[in-house]
Amino acid sequence: MGFMDKVKDFVAPIEEEDDYQEAPQAEKVEEVEPQSRYERPKARTNTTSLNSNTKMVLFEPRSFGEAEEVGQRLKEGRAVVVNLHKLDRDYAQRTIDFLTGVVYALDGKIQKIGQNVILCSPAEIGVQGTISLGSPDDFEDED
C-alpha cells in the first residue's frame, strides 16, 4: 500500500462487506418533563350536567386545565364566578389571561370582585353595579 492509499484509507476508509456489522442502535427515549401539580389535568369524575335554568356557575379551580371548563360555561351563556385562591400565582395569571380572551371573543365582561375572585359574564348576561375592593384611601381615621 502506498502513502496515498494509506491517506485515502485514513480519510475515507473503504469498508469491506464481510467484516462490517452494523452496531445495534439504542432506542431513543423521549424525556417527558414532569408536570407540576398545577399543570396536571384534574380527573373529571364530578362533572355534572347543569340545569337549563342555571344562569351562574361558581368555580374554584385547582389547576390551569380547569379553565377550559370555565370557558365552556361562558360559551353556554352562563356567568361564572372564579375563585383563584387555590392556584399558584403564575397559574392564576394564566387562567385570567385565558378567560380574558374567552370573554373578549364573546363580547362579554370580566371584573375583579374580590381578592383572587373574578366574575366573567357573556354579553347575554347583564351585570350592574360595582364592588369597592377597599383601598387604603377609602378609610379615614375617625378620632
Side-chain angles (χ1 to χ4, degrees), residues 53-101:
N53 294 334
T54 303
K55 301 291 182 203
M56 181 175 286
V57 184
L58 308 177
F59 278 96
E60 194 171 63
R62 296 183 190 330
S63 70
F64 174 72
E66 294 179 56
E68 184 179 345
E69 187 175 350
V70 176
Q72 184 63 40
R73 298 300 177 226
L74 286 165
K75 286 172 47 178
E76 292 170 357
R78 294 179 170 91
V80 179
V81 175
V82 184
N83 186 344
L84 300 166
H85 81 276
K86 291 193 176 183
L87 284 177
D88 180 62
R89 182 180 175 152
D90 292 337
Y91 293 104
Q93 185 60 53
R94 284 180 62 189
T95 301
I96 291 170
D97 293 344
F98 174 78
L99 293 176
T100 300

Side-chain angles (χ1 to χ4, degrees), residues 26-140:
E27 292 183 27
K28 293 182 181 179
V29 178
E30 279 190 38
E31 291 185 32
V32 178
E33 292 183 31
Q35 293 180 333
S36 72
R37 67 185 177 110
Y38 299 106
E39 291 179 311
R40 285 185 217 129
K42 181 182 172 190
R44 296 184 184 255
T45 55
N46 61 353
T47 303
T48 58
S49 59
L50 297 177
N51 184 334
S52 62
N53 294 334
T54 303
K55 301 291 182 203
M56 181 175 286
V57 184
L58 308 177
F59 278 96
E60 194 171 63
R62 296 183 190 330
S63 70
F64 174 72
E66 294 179 56
E68 184 179 345
E69 187 175 350
V70 176
Q72 184 63 40
R73 298 300 177 226
L74 286 165
K75 286 172 47 178
E76 292 170 357
R78 294 179 170 91
V80 179
V81 175
V82 184
N83 186 344
L84 300 166
H85 81 276
K86 291 193 176 183
L87 284 177
D88 180 62
R89 182 180 175 152
D90 292 337
Y91 293 104
Q93 185 60 53
R94 284 180 62 189
T95 301
I96 291 170
D97 293 344
F98 174 78
L99 293 176
T100 300
V102 172
V103 167
Y104 177 79
L106 298 173
D107 291 326
K109 293 184 180 179
I110 186 169
Q111 64 187 98
K112 184 174 181 177
I113 59 173
Q115 183 69 25
N116 292 329
V117 181
I118 57 173
L119 169 64
C120 304
S121 57
E124 304 88 49
I125 304 287
V127 177
Q128 187 173 3
T130 58
I131 293 180
S132 171
L133 297 177
S135 69
D137 297 335
D138 292 342
F139 301 103
E140 293 185 21

